[in-house]
Amino acid sequence: MRSDVGGRSRWRWAACALLVAASCAVVPAAQAQRPQPAPVRAAAPANSPLWAQLTLGGAGARLTCDICTPQRDVGAMLTAALGAYASPRLRIGMEAQHWTYRDAGVREYVNGIGVVVHYAPRPAGGLHLIGGAGASFYRAGEFRYDAPRVTMGLGYDLPAMGRFVVGNVVTMDVAAFGTLKSEGATVIERVGYSSVRAAVQVRRR
């Protein structure tokens, strides 16, 4: 009887030891299979440091002088700008523009280049003020006119897709104290130039 009891006791101790060992093995395995939380990543900035913009629309342009016609010639205008953000409210860049119109068989062109500044009173709002300075270059047959200019206007945009926004712009370019020339000879001095533009825009923030 003692020998039988002792044998049963040994078997019970062995079974307990196996259960403890199995539980120790199962707990780490379950912890290893449990999905680990993904590492926390820094949020991407709302805007890229750079911005780019295209506008396409119409502009009424004219030269102002004693012998110039007073009406505006309305032609197509394309502009392209590229710049960087100085702050969430302020972006600065370089802008190039091209305007063209055909009058009585003569093709007129105005090319321009300059610095453009957009200021948004509310960074989250769509309204922004437009200002800038540069130069305009008028060509029509043998006539040419070059003068410094300033730009002022308004723009409004709405989110479109991802970093892109779409909207409208209305601007006015004004130049003065230029000289109208024909084949290198001065025709008239102190000539002014102005254009009023209304266009649609696409901008990448």
Side-chain angles (χ1 to χ4, degrees), residues 75-171:
M77 177 176 278
L78 174 69
T79 71
L82 178 65
Y85 283 87
S87 73
R89 288 186 171 88
L90 185 66
R91 52 183 178 266
I92 303 172
M94 295 295 297
E95 182 181 69
Q97 60 179 224
H98 177 74
W99 173 88
T100 184
Y101 174 79
R102 188 174 183 84
D103 182 20
V106 177
R107 176 65 65 179
E108 298 179 72
Y109 300 96
V110 177
N111 295 316
I113 191 168
V115 177
V116 65
V117 177
H118 297 176
Y119 175 75
R122 296 176 54 202
L127 179 67
H128 57 275
L129 309 178
I130 302 172
S136 292
F137 311 97
Y138 171 85
R139 301 290 184 270
E142 71 274 13
F143 293 97
R144 59 183 298 163
Y145 168 85
D146 304 335
R149 64 166 170 84
V150 295
T151 301
M152 62 200 85
L154 293 171
Y156 190 85
D157 50 53
L158 296 170
M161 181 177 62
R163 294 185 181 272
F164 288 91
V165 298
V166 296
N168 299 310
V169 294
V170 177
T171 62

Side-chain angles (χ1 to χ4, degrees), residues 63-79:
L63 295 176
T64 304
C65 66
D66 293 337
I67 63 173
C68 299
T69 56
Q71 72 269 16
R72 293 185 179 275
D73 296 332
V74 179
M77 177 176 278
L78 174 69
T79 71

